[in-house]
Amino acid sequence: MDSLSENEDSIITPKNVIIVKGNRLKVAGEDASVGVYLINQSDDTRHKCDQIISNDPKQLMVMVPALSAGNYELEIITQYSSGHNFKKTVSKTQFEHILIVE
């Protein structure tokens, strides 16, 4: 959900917070690839969301970086495990809807 427009599963606003809900979303681990990314569908450019405001297993709040207009895929990479240890390998989760920057 885009917190500015309250759009769900569609339009996102650059330099604004989005809220992602699900399971096992917590961004954790020491691998360099761990993070939240928006991937431009026209050229596969990966944009990392550097500011994570809330980082819980069932909900993430992240600041969208400055993005140009286009269609983006949301990808979360983590080593989070429900126990106290990180997984040895990363897990990638891709959001099922394409997000649009107008």
Side-chain angles (χ1 to χ4, degrees), residues 51-68:
Q51 187 176 3
I52 299 175
I53 297 161
S54 175
N55 189 11
D56 297 313
K58 293 191 180 266
Q59 178 176 294
L60 291 175
M61 292 176 69
V62 297
M63 183 69 69
V64 175
L67 299 172
S68 57

Side-chain angles (χ1 to χ4, degrees), residues 52-89:
I52 299 175
I53 297 161
S54 175
N55 189 11
D56 297 313
K58 293 191 180 266
Q59 178 176 294
L60 291 175
M61 292 176 69
V62 297
M63 183 69 69
V64 175
L67 299 172
S68 57
N71 295 337
Y72 292 83
E73 180 177 59
L74 176 72
E75 181 179 69
I76 300 167
I77 301 175
T78 186
Q79 289 177 283
Y80 174 72
S81 173
S82 58
H84 293 289
N85 298 320
F86 295 136
K87 295 189 306 184
K88 292 180 181 179
T89 59

Side-chain angles (χ1 to χ4, degrees), residues 7-69:
N7 284 319
E8 292 187 18
D9 302 335
S10 61
I11 298 169
I12 58 173
T13 307
K15 298 183 180 180
N16 193 57
V17 175
I18 57 171
I19 301 165
V20 183
K21 294 182 180 183
N23 292 308
R24 296 188 208 111
L25 296 176
K26 186 171 182 154
V27 177
E30 297 177 1
D31 190 276
S33 67
V34 167
V36 179
Y37 297 87
L38 288 159
I39 305 163
N40 188 314
Q41 296 297 282
S42 64
D43 62 9
D44 289 329
T45 305
R46 299 172 65 80
H47 303 272
K48 188 170 186 177
C49 299
D50 291 322
Q51 187 176 3
I52 299 175
I53 297 161
S54 175
N55 189 11
D56 297 313
K58 293 191 180 266
Q59 178 176 294
L60 291 175
M61 292 176 69
V62 297
M63 183 69 69
V64 175
L67 299 172
S68 57

